[in-house]
Amino acid sequence: MKYCSNCKKVFFSESDKCECGKKFARKLDLDSPVEVFRSSNDSTKAAERCLVDAQIPYSVSDGSGYSPSVGKLEGEVALLIPLAFLKKAVNVLSQGGVMDKPEWYDRLELPDDPEWKEMARGKQTAVRVASFITFLFLIYLCVSGVDLLAEKIFGLIK
């Protein structure tokens, strides 16, 4: 089994590159997001309900575009789940009548009962605070850099 971090898909091919041209990931991380379902109609809501009922964590990747004259353009919506839950999600979605099992389903070598752990509340807060401080520091560096650059340019002009 090979995973493309660009396409967010699993492949069972002999080549070392994906269809998109990017090389496959060398090491599989069971928390990596993988596309389990893609649709452009109402079946996305049914798929989301199945995943929620089975307590499978997922995120939605909206492929819709935007046009200034028309507004939001309809596009496909992809449901992404952690790689460890791929087998369980395919089972749930096929039992729910949302999709058929793909031909590569029997070749999946994933745990039968994966476990998802949310980040601890304290750790979430610490990551948010550290991210905010880093963001402020980067803004400071940009403003200082522009000031320095402007000072050097105006120093040459005088």
Side-chain angles (χ1 to χ4, degrees):
M1 174 171 66
K2 296 179 180 180
Y3 173 73
C4 178
S5 58
N6 188 36
C7 298
K8 309 273 190 269
K9 292 182 183 178
V10 174
F11 294 94
F12 292 91
S13 67
E14 296 301 319
S15 68
D16 58 342
K17 286 191 176 183
C18 176
E19 298 166 346
C20 68
K22 187 171 179 177
K23 287 190 175 187
F24 290 117
R26 292 179 188 241
K27 185 177 179 187
L28 287 177
D29 182 16
L30 294 179
D31 291 334
S32 298
V34 64
E35 181 182 308
V36 69
F37 183 74
R38 179 178 288 271
S39 174
S40 60
N41 55 23
D42 295 332
S43 59
T44 305
K45 295 292 181 197
E48 286 184 64
R49 253 182 272 121
C50 289
L51 293 176
V52 168
D53 291 343
Q55 297 179 346
I56 297 174
Y58 72 95
S59 63
V60 178
S61 175
D62 192 359
S64 301
Y66 183 80
S67 170
S69 61
V70 180
K72 185 176 180 182
L73 302 173
E74 291 298 318
E76 291 188 330
V77 175
L79 296 178
L80 303 172
I81 60 167
L83 180 60
F85 285 87
L86 183 59
K87 196 170 193 174
K88 184 177 179 182
V90 169
N91 280 335
V92 167
L93 293 175
S94 63
Q95 289 171 358
V98 178
M99 68 180 275
D100 296 328
K101 286 186 181 178
E103 70 278 351
W104 46 259
Y105 174 78
D106 294 329
R107 294 193 279 176
L108 285 175
E109 297 173 5
L110 297 170
D112 290 331
D113 193 25
E115 191 174 312
W116 179 258
K117 295 179 185 173
E118 290 288 331
M119 191 184 296
R121 184 66 80 188
K123 190 174 181 180
Q124 284 179 355
T125 304
V127 168
R128 283 187 183 140
V129 168
S131 298
F132 183 69
I133 291 171
T134 304
F135 177 71
L136 289 178
F137 181 69
L138 289 173
I139 289 175
Y140 170 76
L141 287 178
C142 289
V143 170
S144 299
V146 169
D147 272 352
L148 242 130
L149 187 63
E151 186 179 314
K152 295 285 184 191
I153 290 174
F154 287 123
L156 292 175
I157 294 175
K158 288 183 179 182

